[in-house]
Amino acid sequence: MTYPAPYGTYAQQPPPRKKRGMKRIIFGVLGIVANGIGLIVMPFVAAFAVAIFAVLTATPVSLGGSSGTVDATETSLYYVYVPTADAGSATCTVDGGTVTWDTADAGQLPTAVDGTEYSDVGTFQVSTAQEVTVTCEGAEDVAVSDVGFLGTLVGGAIGIAIPVLLGLVAIALLIWGIIARVRS
């Protein structure tokens, strides 16, 4: 009859405990680095995307002739449109208290108003809420669209909030991984 070997002579050692948490540490560090970059880039990307969306979805409203008034606020940018057939010969002016008129980007955003194609001839902004008179000589009609900046600011805030929240998740993952590594 054979007996088992005495304890310790031929006994096998249990395998060493597996260290845990390394994947969580790696993904936590990578998440922190990615969110650091995202915190710098994302607000600009989000604000730009929301601004482009706001410009493309703004609906111009006809003023009913070659001249009209607009109640302008300081939180908006206003695009002035005339029928495309009149765009080359139209000369527009904007009168009010403190108005900034810019024709640098004219002709970039064609649109349709009541089935007629219109082209933008300029933009204006005001520094205080006021009534502004838009007059375009050489055009049969004038249309104005309001592009609010509030949406762009909200887009920028969301662009900051998302990386911050994901960064907090990455920090939690890193801490969880370190705790698991120390305990194992």
Side-chain angles (χ1 to χ4, degrees):
M1 181 155 157
T2 59
Y3 294 101
Y7 185 78
T9 21
Y10 299 108
Q12 290 183 332
Q13 294 287 329
R17 290 184 68 187
K18 184 178 176 186
K19 292 285 190 176
R20 304 181 68 147
M22 188 53 112
K23 289 180 189 174
R24 286 175 268 194
I25 292 172
I26 291 171
F27 285 118
V29 169
L30 290 175
I32 290 170
V33 170
N35 282 300
I37 294 168
L39 194 56
I40 296 169
V41 175
M42 190 65 181
F44 297 112
V45 171
F48 182 73
V50 170
I52 293 297
F53 180 76
V55 167
L56 294 178
T57 59
T59 306
V61 177
S62 174
L63 298 180
S66 62
S67 179
T69 60
V70 176
D71 288 327
T73 63
E74 63 272 5
T75 59
S76 292
L77 173 68
Y78 296 90
Y79 278 84
V80 178
Y81 293 90
V82 297
T84 302
D86 300 336
S89 62
T91 305
C92 296
T93 58
V94 180
D95 297 317
T98 52
V99 179
T100 305
W101 171 254
D102 185 20
T103 59
D105 295 331
Q108 300 294 318
L109 298 168
T111 189
V113 177
D114 297 328
T116 305
E117 185 176 325
Y118 278 61
S119 295
D120 62 308
V121 291
T123 61
F124 70 89
Q125 286 180 292
V126 295
S127 59
T128 59
Q130 60 188 333
E131 190 172 272
V132 175
T133 302
V134 179
T135 306
C136 289
E137 294 178 14
E140 64 183 54
D141 190 25
V142 177
V144 176
S145 69
D146 175 6
V147 180
F149 287 133
L150 187 59
T152 304
L153 293 175
V154 169
I158 290 172
I160 291 172
I162 290 173
V164 166
L165 291 175
L166 291 176
L168 291 173
V169 169
I171 289 171
L173 190 62
L174 176 64
I175 292 170
W176 184 26
I178 291 170
I179 291 171
R181 187 83 175 164
V182 169
R183 286 186 177 175
S184 64

